[in-house]
Amino acid sequence: MRPARAPAPAAARGGHALYELYRAASRAAAPAVLLWRRLQGLEHPTRWPERLGRPSAARPRPGSPLVWFHAVSLGEGMAALPVVRHCARLHPGLSVLLTTTTHSSFEVIKDLLPDGVIYQFAPLDCPDTIESFIGYWKPSLVLLMESELWPNLIMSAAAKGIAVALLNGRMSMKSFNHWSMPLGLPLVALMLSKLSLLVPLSTIQAVRFQLLHTPPGIIHFAGDLKYAVGDVNAEMNEVNKIKDLQQQFSNRPIWMAASIHRGEEEVILWAHDDLIKLYPTLLLVLVPRHPQDCKNFSLALKERKLNFVLRSTKELVHSSTRVYMVDTLGELRMLYRVTPIAVIGGSFLPGLAGHNISEAAAAGCAVMTGPHVGHFYHMMVEMWQINPLAVKQVAGESELLQTLKELLGDVKTLGARQRAAKDAFSIMSDGVVNRVWNLVCRFAINFQTDARNN
């Protein structure tokens, strides 16, 4: 049996009235929100009814325990995958459901799920859709990823006696300030009091959650699940892709700029222009964060008269190709295995907050990032503590260029950074999934016996 949930703190006493206001507002707004998202092309063209709690798959083994993992988008969904796999492997009697909210996460994650795991788009946080969703799937446990604090979801599950846990919990400073306001604190304190377990990303995140009146007894540390994202062996189809690209790249000097946001391509291409003067055969693998930005990136390449090919066209890389632009989804992990240097984007412009560096480190890349890394800074600090060479954070485009020249021009320096990144990842990733799942079993699961009997 899981431990009894802690009583709601005094700060949550006004939360019920605020929750009723939120409940009414979310019910009224849901149709317009979904319509707007569909018009903006943000919803799946045929599976959007799932967002209203209408299932597109049958619930397996009616009456058997079901674990519901929920993540907002691709990064959080990828962080959930190692735990999903672990759960499905250790508890074959359980049914496992994963939901996300974005089309891009669906396109990538659907092909990475273990056999038998169900994927659905998450219901909007509206009372009717949540009730419909929970009523159909009847989860025994809800595992939320990172910052997914949705009042209707949490309150409805808690009212039905369903355990809710937050894994890899994080709270940005912006969200913390929002929830700390007089109209936010009672509601968030009420939600957090309904959790059975909160596994924070870091000590800083734990402090923020405690300042929002999370019961201290439910906060437990296990490590960052995003370290486990890169800890996956390449499958056979990936191995074939890697061999094909290695053959095309023909031992040319190469570097990759991954998860590049609009505006950051100017920084990357400026550096590449300068580097080509020193290394005429240099190839840049350019991976936009959002495939829809490829059109703008293509225009920038044409303006600079840089010969490029798009991965989606299957056009071969020739000796005259200067940029290989990846306009496909779900191949980043594979691409890290064909380049010795990875510059992680989402970090070179104010307002951005970095991306996961562990996949590049796991592949043995020399890892670089810009100055704006958000909550990923704690990951960098942990890697630096193991080896200061594990990741290089540059202050801007000039230092980026200088570091790239050093890595491309000195095999020993490059090798030292590659080894440091891979070793740091290995140490940080060791056992994190086991630690997280052990906490889930200890504090949130009350159906293990039932699962073994199914």
Side-chain angles (χ1 to χ4, degrees):
M1 295 295 290
R2 67 176 183 270
R5 189 180 292 119
R13 288 172 186 163
H16 288 283
L18 288 171
Y19 170 60
E20 289 303 320
L21 290 174
Y22 173 87
R23 195 168 185 269
S26 61
R27 173 179 280 128
V33 169
L34 184 58
L35 177 60
W36 180 84
R37 288 181 58 85
R38 289 181 64 196
L39 292 174
Q40 295 296 313
L42 299 175
E43 298 291 343
H44 192 282
T46 60
R47 297 186 62 166
W48 63 265
E50 294 172 29
R51 301 283 272 144
L52 297 174
R54 302 171 188 169
S56 64
R59 191 201 191 281
R61 301 188 292 274
S64 67
L66 181 144
V67 180
W68 172 18
F69 289 84
H70 171 63
V72 61
S73 59
L74 182 57
E76 294 81 359
M78 292 297 290
L81 270 178
V83 191
V84 170
R85 294 189 180 103
H86 191 77
C87 173
R89 184 176 66 254
L90 288 187
H91 304 280
L94 292 179
S95 299
V96 181
L97 169 70
L98 173 65
T99 63
T100 66
T101 63
T102 64
H103 195 173
S104 60
S105 60
F106 164 75
E107 292 296 336
V108 175
I109 290 173
K110 65 181 174 63
D111 297 323
L112 299 175
L113 292 174
D115 291 341
V117 174
I118 306 159
Y119 177 89
Q120 295 279 279
F121 283 96
L124 294 172
D125 195 53
C126 161
D128 302 324
T129 60
I130 293 294
E131 290 296 321
S132 176
F133 187 92
I134 291 179
Y136 180 82
W137 293 104
K138 294 181 174 58
S140 306
L141 170 65
V142 181
L143 299 177
L144 307 176
M145 295 300 300
E146 301 209 4
S147 56
E148 288 297 274
L149 294 175
W150 292 103
N152 287 313
L153 190 164
I154 293 173
M155 296 298 290
S156 178
K160 294 174 174 59
I162 302 168
V164 182
L166 183 66
L167 308 184
N168 249 36
R170 65 179 176 90
M171 176 77 62
S172 69
M173 183 55 70
K174 181 179 179 181
S175 294
F176 175 77
N177 291 335
H178 167 78
W179 285 119
S180 298
M181 296 174 67
L183 289 179
L185 185 58
L187 179 56
V188 76
L190 177 63
M191 283 193 290
L192 292 170
S193 74
K194 303 299 181 182
L195 300 181
S196 297
L197 170 68
L198 195 159
V199 185
L201 272 177
S202 64
T203 303
I204 292 174
Q205 297 296 332
V207 169
R208 289 177 186 170
F209 280 111
Q210 283 195 289
L211 290 173
L212 296 174
H213 301 279
T214 302
I218 72 168
I219 298 177
H220 297 271
F221 295 90
D224 188 345
L225 281 169
K226 286 188 174 176
Y227 284 119
V229 173
D231 195 18
V232 180
N233 292 327
E235 298 177 358
M236 185 54 64
N237 64 330
E238 284 192 340
V239 171
N240 292 334
K241 291 178 182 178
I242 290 168
K243 289 180 178 177
D244 175 65
L245 287 176
Q246 287 173 335
Q247 186 176 13
Q248 289 191 54
F249 295 165
S250 303
N251 296 317
R252 292 170 59 177
I254 181 174
W255 67 292
M256 181 163 76
S259 296
I260 301 302
H261 288 241
R262 186 180 299 186
E264 290 188 302
E265 78 278 7
E266 295 298 325
V267 175
I268 298 302
L269 296 181
W270 172 83
H272 192 57
D273 276 339
D274 202 292
L275 290 167
I276 288 174
K277 298 172 185 176
L278 289 174
Y279 306 98
T281 61
L282 182 65
L283 179 68
L284 165 65
V285 178
L286 178 61
V287 188
R289 177 65 176 178
H290 304 291
Q292 60 266 32
D293 288 336
C294 287
K295 182 178 180 180
N296 289 322
F297 287 18
S298 296
L299 291 174
L301 289 167
K302 290 175 182 176
E303 288 176 0
R304 293 176 179 270
K305 295 181 172 55
L306 287 170
N307 191 355
F308 68 97
V309 298
L310 296 173
R311 177 157 176 76
S312 62
T313 65
K314 294 182 169 54
E315 183 180 350
L316 295 178
V317 174
H318 298 286
S319 59
S320 61
T321 304
R322 293 291 171 263
V323 178
Y324 185 69
M325 186 153 64
V326 181
D327 56 343
T328 54
L329 286 168
E331 296 192 296
L332 196 54
R333 185 183 65 181
M334 177 274 293
L335 290 163
Y336 283 135
R337 286 166 165 78
V338 297
T339 177
I341 302 168
V343 177
I344 313 300
S347 61
F348 287 94
L349 296 177
L352 299 178
H355 290 296
N356 190 4
I357 60 177
S358 70
E359 288 182 287
C365 296
V367 183
M368 300 171 61
T369 187
H372 307 285
V373 294
H375 74 275
F376 288 102
Y377 185 73
H378 85 91
M379 181 183 285
M380 294 168 56
V381 169
E382 290 174 341
M383 293 178 73
W384 284 330
Q385 288 172 341
I386 296 168
N387 190 322
L389 298 178
V391 55
K392 172 69 174 179
Q393 185 178 30
V394 298
E397 58 186 21
S398 296
E399 191 176 3
L400 170 68
L401 176 61
Q402 183 58 38
T403 305
L404 285 168
K405 287 180 179 179
E406 292 172 2
L407 294 177
L408 290 166
D410 188 336
V411 174
K412 289 185 178 179
T413 299
L414 174 60
R417 287 201 171 272
Q418 288 179 291
R419 289 189 297 274
K422 194 173 183 67
D423 291 346
F425 166 81
S426 179
I427 292 170
M428 294 307 304
S429 65
D430 183 40
V432 62
V433 175
N434 278 323
R435 291 193 297 272
V436 168
W437 190 248
N438 287 340
L439 287 173
V440 170
C441 291
R442 179 181 172 191
F443 289 94
I445 289 182
N446 67 350
F447 53 84
Q448 283 181 289
T449 302
D450 293 335
R452 284 193 292 265
N453 293 331
N454 278 284

